[in-house]
Amino acid sequence: MAGVPSPPRLIDVARAAGVSLATASRAMTGSAGVSSEVAAHVQAVASQVGYVPNSHARALAGGQASMVGLIVHDVGDPYFGEIARGVLRETDRRGYLALISQTERDPGAELARIRALRAHRVTSIVLAGSGYVEASGEAGTAAEVRSFTAAGGRVTVIGRHHLPVDAVLPDNVNGGVTLMRHLLELGHRRVGVVGGPANLTTVEDRLAGLRAAVEAAGLDWAAIPVAHGDFTREGGAAAAARLVGAHPQLTAVVALNDPMAVGALSWLLTSGRRVPAEISVAGFDDVPVAADVFPALTTIRLPMIEMGRQALELALKPPASRPRRRRTTHELVVRASTAPAP
């Protein structure tokens, strides 16, 4: 139609920013070879002139429209394995392929993985795993996510608080309340906690739920010892050894994920403690192995497969005016590892 101005092009952004077309293109796509300062300048100019990149069209041109990215902390952790199952079921249903990578809870590695996916022209990313209590711990990731979404990419996170994108949020606080309430109703008052790394928001949230239940019962949270360790079977065993060694009178141990609970259970049994006759053990997440150990593990069930499916669904949707939040349910699964306090 005559008189309707054409939308700004990338060449217009390059001219306004005082850079070459190639530099402008690299800055807008997050490619290597451009400093973060130049990339930020070009992206700011693009916003000022009203340039709207179409990353999906670029991906179609490059033959990569059917690729999505999934970044997890640890592919060997059954929690992330179940989330990955949910993502992969949804990619299969929609005809997509997923590129999966892990960070081992290293913020620098997380940033590198996002950049690598951008370099592969992936336009939708699911970022699964706890964020950090201090927002500065994921400042680099936050900046990269903002750059990616400004360029038309889509990101959904699972279990993160500080990133301004769509999120699927597991019911960690309420799950903690339910789990501690179960032990208190069994008569346990000398309870210890085997927790993951203290700098993770997942640990902070689950501890907050335990604390809320303790205080609601009129008890002193300061009397509940907490031993932190890696979110692994080995980390759980080591933390349980420290915890029970310092507090041998404990009648129950809560682990903040199931691999740690399995490690604590193994250490207690190897040490000659009778579970649950002498000491109860409870976990969190209900990963598949929780039902197979002996005694079978009492835990909080989270809908991990559904969390992965929902996260990918959000990542493939057009962006909303404000980040969307989908909160999960939780369920207490009582098995043989907990019993009334001796």
Side-chain angles (χ1 to χ4, degrees):
M1 180 183 295
V4 177
S6 60
R9 301 167 299 166
L10 185 59
I11 186 64
D12 302 318
V13 175
R15 289 170 179 162
V19 300
S20 69
L21 179 59
T23 296
S25 177
R26 287 194 292 270
M28 294 304 296
T29 58
S31 301
V34 179
S35 71
S36 57
E37 292 80 7
V38 171
H41 169 64
V42 171
Q43 291 161 14
V45 170
S47 178
Q48 291 169 4
V49 302
Y51 173 71
V52 179
N54 189 340
S55 68
H56 291 275
R58 286 199 307 270
L60 282 168
Q64 298 293 326
S66 60
M67 286 284 190
V68 299
L70 170 62
I71 302 174
V72 300
H73 283 330
D74 180 1
V75 295
D77 186 324
Y79 174 83
F80 296 112
E82 291 295 281
I83 286 174
R85 286 178 64 192
V87 171
L88 294 176
R89 285 181 182 178
E90 191 68 7
T91 58
D92 288 346
R93 191 180 73 81
R94 294 171 178 260
Y96 283 75
L97 292 175
L99 293 177
I100 304 176
S101 57
Q102 69 176 13
T103 67
E104 297 185 347
R105 295 189 174 86
D106 178 353
E110 184 172 82
L111 180 59
R113 302 299 179 269
I114 296 172
R115 287 175 172 169
L117 289 173
R118 295 185 69 178
H120 282 82
R121 297 183 179 179
V122 168
T123 58
S124 298
I125 297 173
V126 173
L127 187 57
S130 176
Y132 299 89
V133 173
E134 296 293 335
S136 59
E138 52 190 341
T141 293
E144 191 69 20
V145 164
R146 284 193 293 270
S147 171
F148 181 50
T149 54
R154 297 282 295 115
V155 176
T156 299
V157 296
I158 298 176
R160 308 287 284 256
H161 297 299
H162 299 311
L163 300 182
V165 293
D166 291 345
V168 176
L169 300 175
D171 201 12
N172 287 323
V173 175
N174 291 325
V177 171
T178 298
L179 190 58
M180 181 60 81
R181 186 181 294 152
H182 166 68
L183 292 173
L184 295 176
E185 289 174 351
L186 289 173
H188 293 281
R189 293 299 181 267
R190 298 190 297 275
V191 181
V193 180
V194 171
N199 65 329
L200 299 181
T201 54
T202 293
V203 173
E204 182 182 57
D205 290 348
R206 293 179 181 184
L207 284 175
L210 300 180
R211 177 173 184 162
V214 167
E215 293 180 342
L219 303 174
D220 182 11
W221 172 252
I224 305 292
V226 180
H228 291 282
D230 293 335
F231 253 159
T232 62
R233 182 184 183 279
E234 296 76 17
R242 296 195 309 272
L243 183 71
V244 177
H247 306 276
Q249 78 284 5
L250 294 178
T251 65
V253 170
V254 178
L256 296 189
N257 78 350
D258 286 342
M260 294 193 87
V262 170
L265 178 64
S266 176
W267 181 85
L268 287 165
L269 294 173
T270 301
S271 301
R273 301 295 291 269
R274 292 178 299 144
V275 179
E278 293 180 42
I279 185 167
S280 290
V281 178
F284 210 114
D285 294 330
D286 196 30
V287 300
V289 73
D292 297 329
V293 296
F294 183 81
L297 190 64
T298 291
T299 187
I300 291 295
R301 176 178 294 161
L302 293 177
M304 294 169 287
I305 293 176
E306 178 63 13
M307 286 157 54
R309 189 201 67 76
Q310 286 192 11
L312 183 64
E313 181 185 77
L314 285 171
L316 295 177
K317 284 188 172 189
S321 58
R322 298 178 62 183
R324 291 166 286 218
R325 297 287 184 265
R326 290 191 179 174
R327 301 182 184 277
T328 75
T329 58
H330 75 275
E331 178 186 353
L332 174 67
V333 180
V334 179
R335 299 193 178 103
S337 67
T338 55

